[in-house]
Amino acid sequence: MVATAVPSTRPNWLRYAALAAKVLLFGLLLSALIWPDLSGIKGKASTARLIVYPIGAMVLPLWWVAYGRTRSKLHRTFPWHADLLMTLPWLIDLVGNRFNLFDTVTWWDDAMHFVLWAFLTAGVLLAFAPRDLSRALTVFTALGFGATAAVVWELGEYVAFVRTSPELQTAYTDTLGDLALGTLGALLAGLITYQARKPRSLA
């Protein structure tokens, strides 16, 4: 079965929320360039974050301009709900670092690996995965993306700053936990996305 596009019925607040999230994200990135000592990411691969985070937040809009607007079989209008979910992980991570939550709240890092990976995976599924996937295929797709993204993230952290920081002593245990939590977050995203799409696909 070929997935067919359906008119968007997303409320306007999703558009405003997605745009606000991007404005806040780029504002925090700009402030990190101007006042690096106050950014919360100094010594935590700040240069890599300043490059990767804007790319992560702009992947969907750039794809839409280059391809999706005229050829997407999933969306007739820009998927603001997916865009918001794909922007929030980068924004929340920057906010957490700005307020030093990763180093002062013991459970914050674990929670973020679970929640932010769920947001990111759900956004990717809503933006790019066909609506008519079965529950099993939706979950497998979510796990494939989520687990792979988690591995890439951990490799990036290791190369960028972990290997030369005091965190190296506990990096193995922390990395295993982060990978497990990210994968569980992706699993939850797959299940929720399938349930959220089910009425629409059956309509």
Side-chain angles (χ1 to χ4, degrees):
M1 183 184 297
V2 177
T4 57
V6 296
S8 175
T9 59
R10 303 293 172 184
N12 285 334
W13 71 264
L14 285 170
R15 176 187 301 179
Y16 300 138
L19 292 173
K22 280 185 167 49
V23 170
L24 288 172
L25 173 65
F26 283 96
L28 287 171
L29 291 170
L30 179 60
S31 68
L33 284 173
I34 299 173
W35 302 288
D37 290 338
L38 301 178
S39 67
I41 60 174
K42 186 176 182 180
K44 296 182 178 180
S46 57
T47 301
R49 292 175 193 266
L50 291 172
I51 296 172
V52 172
Y53 285 22
I55 294 174
M58 293 303 295
V59 163
L60 183 53
L62 292 173
W63 171 83
W64 184 258
V65 170
Y67 176 85
R69 181 170 51 189
T70 57
R71 300 176 63 185
S72 174
K73 295 181 180 180
L74 291 174
H75 310 286
R76 289 181 180 172
T77 59
F78 185 73
W80 291 105
H81 58 310
D83 186 54
L84 176 61
L85 288 167
M86 292 176 66
T87 303
L88 283 175
W90 317 107
L91 173 61
I92 295 173
D93 180 82
L94 279 180
V95 171
N97 278 292
R98 172 61 63 87
F99 290 100
N100 202 30
L101 298 177
F102 286 94
D103 294 327
T104 60
V105 180
T106 56
W107 49 265
W108 185 261
D109 182 67
D110 290 340
M112 290 302 97
H113 276 276
F114 179 78
V115 173
L116 300 188
W117 246 248
F119 284 169
L120 184 61
T121 302
V124 169
L125 289 175
L126 290 170
F128 301 112
R131 296 179 181 277
D132 58 352
L133 290 181
S134 66
R135 186 197 306 270
L137 284 177
T138 302
V139 170
F140 286 147
T141 302
L143 288 174
F145 169 79
T148 301
V151 170
V152 172
W153 178 267
E154 294 300 324
L155 286 173
E157 280 194 339
Y158 177 80
V159 171
F161 72 95
V162 171
R163 61 195 175 101
T164 58
S165 77
E167 295 181 28
L168 183 61
Q169 300 300 320
T170 58
Y172 181 73
T173 300
D174 183 66
T175 297
L176 289 178
D178 291 347
L179 289 173
L181 289 166
T183 301
L184 288 174
L187 172 62
L188 179 64
L191 293 171
I192 292 177
T193 300
Y194 173 80
Q195 286 301 125
R197 279 180 155 187
K198 188 175 180 181
R200 183 181 294 271
S201 65
L202 294 178

